[in-house]
Amino acid sequence: QDVLEACLTLREKFIILGLRSTGMSPKDFVSLKIGQAYIKEDLARDEARIYIERRGIKEMTRTQVFFDLEATKALKDYLRYRRDKLDEKITDETPLVRSEHATEAGEVEAITTGQLGRLVSEIGERAGVKITPKIFRKYFRTQCGNSIGRKNEHILIMGGWKIPGAGPNYQYPSKEEMLDDYIKSEPFLRFQKPQAEESEEERNLRTLKDIARSLNMDPLEVFKRKTKDKPLTMQEKREALLAEITFVKQRMRTEPAGGGLAYTQALAKELGKVIADAIRETKEQLKQQ
């Protein structure tokens, strides 16, 4: 989160969010153009997430990934600034991230991998951390693995890594299949700002809401009661959390991607302190009776 706040321009913000949300290699990232398959179409349709599908620079690799909600908004803001403020003509050959200076002929060129690396390092220095574009690639693979399972081949496809044993006739998944897994990974890819004032239970509730949203569930549904005006007691909240763990576990077991059960177990562990507190308070109340 500090890295994102250290960005001074729309260009810098899109670079950080774009690298974070795709896990693309620096070479692949700087080669992206407006006219590339699906990018132009998704921009024209004002899609919430922009789909990227391309052959990797490395042989026998293919990338199928998305710019997430934040990165897509950042790209739209960046392109609007270039068009309206810099009077840049946006064409199919327009690079997603341009070099800071145009050529002598007035042409816009893509940022180079060297320029990208230096810029990311500068942003990191402002935030007080040491980062490179490749760090976001490792971050992407780790966070996606935490959400959909480390052995899931979709992670390799999203990051443009080579799939072991995949030949010329390998059947790649559809855009819709990739989107399902990507949406599950989104909460894990977001930068989280430390909140010292946040209580343990508030953090547990926020975690629960994130996974609910990633499954297209209403995060408030679990707290609804027939008596709408009656405030929930702490015990009712705990009971609702336990019920939600069971519901999410059942829901994620039916998902084709796998890895859902592992996350549900992690979620249960995360909420363990809340449950332990409830048991301890109950015992204390029994002793006082």
Side-chain angles (χ1 to χ4, degrees):
Q1 185 67 30
D2 290 339
V3 172
L4 198 56
E5 291 177 352
C7 295
L8 301 179
T9 65
L10 294 173
R11 176 172 173 256
E12 291 180 357
K13 184 176 181 180
F14 169 64
I15 286 174
I16 295 300
L17 290 173
L19 289 171
R20 181 207 69 178
S21 65
T22 63
M24 297 183 76
S25 69
K27 288 184 178 179
D28 284 345
F29 186 74
V30 301
S31 68
L32 293 174
K33 296 181 179 180
I34 293 293
Q36 191 168 309
Y38 298 104
I39 295 179
K40 181 179 179 180
E41 291 85 349
D42 285 355
L43 281 171
R45 288 195 295 264
D46 199 27
E47 294 283 356
R49 299 175 182 85
I50 293 178
Y51 179 56
I52 304 166
E53 182 177 307
R54 68 190 305 277
R55 290 286 178 183
I57 290 177
K58 293 182 180 180
E59 188 178 0
M60 294 297 295
T61 62
R62 173 170 162 172
T63 300
Q64 291 177 244
V65 73
F66 296 82
F67 285 132
D68 67 7
L69 301 175
E70 290 180 297
T72 297
K73 182 181 183 304
L75 175 60
K76 292 175 181 177
D77 291 343
Y78 176 44
L79 291 175
R80 189 180 303 112
Y81 171 80
R82 288 163 62 177
R83 184 184 63 245
D84 298 344
K85 301 297 183 180
L86 302 181
D87 199 26
E88 180 181 340
K89 184 178 180 181
I90 306 298
T91 69
D92 288 355
E93 293 301 310
T94 296
L96 256 59
V97 182
R98 58 170 286 175
S99 178
E100 205 164 33
H101 305 289
T103 64
E104 293 182 0
E107 297 176 348
V108 172
E109 293 184 332
I111 189 173
T112 66
T113 54
Q115 291 170 338
L116 179 70
R118 287 190 292 274
L119 183 56
V120 170
S121 295
E122 290 173 7
I123 297 171
E125 287 177 5
R126 292 183 217 136
V129 294
K130 187 176 181 179
I131 55 173
T132 66
K134 289 185 177 180
I135 283 181
F136 291 99
R137 188 159 170 77
K138 293 178 182 178
Y139 172 85
F140 180 87
R141 187 166 186 169
T142 300
Q143 296 302 98
C144 287
N146 290 338
S147 63
I148 62 175
R150 299 182 185 279
K151 295 183 180 180
N152 195 317
E153 286 187 351
H154 286 190
I155 296 176
L156 301 179
I157 297 172
M158 283 192 280
W161 286 283
K162 188 172 182 179
I163 301 175
N169 297 323
Y170 179 81
Q171 187 66 38
Y172 281 88
S174 66
K175 175 183 177 181
E176 290 69 29
E177 290 174 317
M178 295 302 297
L179 180 59
D180 286 343
D181 271 352
Y182 190 83
I183 289 176
K184 294 174 189 174
S185 301
E186 270 190 312
F188 293 79
L189 292 173
R190 297 191 193 107
F191 295 140
Q192 296 293 337
K193 186 174 182 179
Q195 298 182 16
E197 71 280 1
E198 189 178 43
S199 69
E200 183 73 16
E201 186 154 348
E202 287 173 336
R203 184 167 64 84
N204 291 336
L205 290 172
R206 175 170 52 78
T207 301
L208 190 60
K209 288 178 181 178
D210 280 344
I211 192 60
R213 291 189 184 97
S214 73
L215 292 172
N216 295 321
M217 294 158 48
D218 180 359
L220 298 178
E221 187 68 31
V222 67
F223 300 114
K224 286 184 178 179
R225 291 291 187 274
K226 291 181 180 179
T227 53
K228 296 181 181 180
D229 297 330
K230 179 184 176 182
L232 290 177
T233 65
M234 187 62 67
Q235 184 62 30
E236 286 175 324
K237 286 184 179 180
R238 292 187 179 113
E239 291 174 356
L241 288 172
L242 289 171
E244 187 69 358
I245 291 174
T246 302
F247 179 77
V248 171
K249 182 184 292 186
Q250 293 173 345
R251 175 74 177 270
M252 296 187 77
R253 274 177 172 168
T254 64
E255 297 292 333
L261 180 57
Y263 177 71
T264 305
Q265 291 170 341
L267 176 63
K269 185 177 180 180
E270 179 80 5
L271 298 174
K273 291 183 179 180
V274 177
I275 300 168
D277 288 343
I279 295 174
R280 184 166 52 254
E281 288 182 12
T282 301
K283 288 182 178 179
E284 291 176 355
Q285 291 174 0
L286 291 174
K287 287 180 180 179
Q288 294 174 358
Q289 291 178 357

